[in-house]
Amino acid sequence: MTALRPAPTPSASIAPRRRRPAAGLVAALALVALLLLAAAWPAVLATHSPTANDFAAALEAPSFAHWFGTDEAGRDLYSRVVWGTRESLLIGVGAATVSLTLAVLLGTAAALGGRLLSGAVGFVLEVAFAFPALLLALLFVAILGPSAWTQVLAVGIGTAPGYARIVRAQVLAARSSAFVEAAVALGHPRTRIVLRQILPNALRPLVAIFALSIGQSIVWASSLAFLGLGVAPPSSEWGALLDAGRAYITRAPWLVVIPGLVIVALALAATSLGGRLRMALETGEKA
């Protein structure tokens, strides 16, 4: 009679599996890396000069000679998209920075200020949040005039109220946490508790929100440019390309479709990376 062998433990029978990154995450990282390369060294990726006119080749469809086709002046659309990456990303990052900076200031004041300050800031946030972000952006563009800096300020201010409410909720949750109560019981100064306990824990999710905000800001800035309230021609910023191409949308639809797809692809990539980063932060907090 053979001796019974002990049953293998789960750790011995089941080998640990390495998690492979999802295809969507790999595609998002590859696209972001390609766009960063285009922003830093556009001459490496561009095939033509973005400002060279060739009226004999005007409004040519995408081909081997012109991958994205040409515009009304015969300029290579692919090269213009590549050279416009830097300006588009700067507008997106700048607007996201303005938005989250205002959100942190207003959200923290609404959560930690006195009764009068908290009530006033909370009222302002509720009123601002009731207006569509695009309407607020249009208001600032109408006051300041169309330009790249106006786009940054308009989109940043227009999207700040929504993020400020998130910051306010995070700060309130951190203020009522056990480690803050312990710090108060130990007699730590209020300033030290705010700077070392509340804000670092409350603002941690903003790292992921910043990535999401970049894609959203580029979409909003492109919307303003499409309405003729963005960077003036002959800029190759993506929104400006949309604005210039809409006059030829029936004759040369690639002038609008291709820049629009690039904007959508970047927004999806930023959303994917922001979501992954948020999940990673939440997993780290739970661990």
Side-chain angles (χ1 to χ4, degrees):
M1 183 176 181
T2 58
L4 295 177
R5 296 181 179 179
T9 60
S11 59
S13 59
I14 301 178
R17 296 181 179 179
R18 296 181 179 179
R19 294 183 178 180
R20 296 181 178 179
L25 178 60
V26 174
L29 289 173
L31 177 60
V32 170
L34 184 63
L35 292 177
L36 290 177
L37 177 62
W41 299 285
V44 175
L45 298 179
T47 57
H48 298 74
S49 170
T51 58
N53 297 332
D54 183 7
F55 293 99
L59 299 179
E60 286 190 357
S63 62
F64 287 106
H66 301 282
W67 297 347
F68 290 175
T70 60
D71 62 6
E72 71 281 2
R75 294 171 295 193
D76 184 69
L77 181 60
Y78 166 75
S79 299
R80 289 180 61 77
V81 169
V82 170
W83 279 92
T85 303
R86 178 184 300 172
E87 192 170 6
S88 300
L89 288 181
L90 287 177
I91 290 176
V93 173
T97 302
V98 171
S99 177
L100 293 184
T101 300
L102 290 176
V104 169
L105 294 176
L106 295 175
T108 303
L112 300 179
R115 180 177 300 179
L116 182 61
L117 179 60
S118 298
V121 174
F123 176 76
V124 171
L125 290 179
E126 293 298 329
V127 172
F129 188 74
F131 286 91
L134 183 58
L135 182 60
L136 286 176
L138 287 172
L139 176 63
F140 281 96
V141 171
I143 295 174
L144 300 176
S147 68
W149 289 110
T150 301
Q151 281 183 294
V152 170
L153 292 176
V155 175
I157 294 173
T159 55
Y163 295 128
R165 297 182 69 184
I166 297 176
V167 173
R168 179 186 181 185
Q170 292 289 333
V171 172
L172 289 175
R175 188 180 67 175
S176 60
S177 60
F179 58 84
V180 171
E181 294 179 355
V184 173
L186 292 174
H188 292 171
R190 175 182 173 85
T191 305
R192 179 180 178 182
I193 294 175
V194 171
L195 295 179
R196 296 190 178 184
Q197 300 291 338
I198 296 178
L199 290 182
N201 289 278
L203 302 184
R204 187 180 303 173
L206 292 186
V207 177
I209 293 177
F210 183 76
L212 297 171
S213 180
I214 292 175
Q216 182 188 24
S217 298
I218 291 177
V219 171
W220 283 116
S222 301
S223 301
L224 292 176
F226 186 75
L227 296 174
L229 300 174
V231 184
S235 172
S236 56
E237 189 265 332
W238 297 341
L241 294 180
L242 288 175
D243 181 38
R246 64 176 176 169
Y248 306 92
I249 191 170
T250 56
R251 183 179 176 185
W254 57 86
L255 295 179
V256 175
V257 173
I258 292 178
L261 289 177
V262 173
I263 294 171
V264 171
L266 175 58
L268 291 177
T271 302
S272 176
L273 294 179
R276 289 281 180 171
L277 186 56
R278 179 182 59 83
M279 293 174 58
L281 290 174
E282 290 180 352
T283 303
E285 290 177 359
K286 294 179 180 179

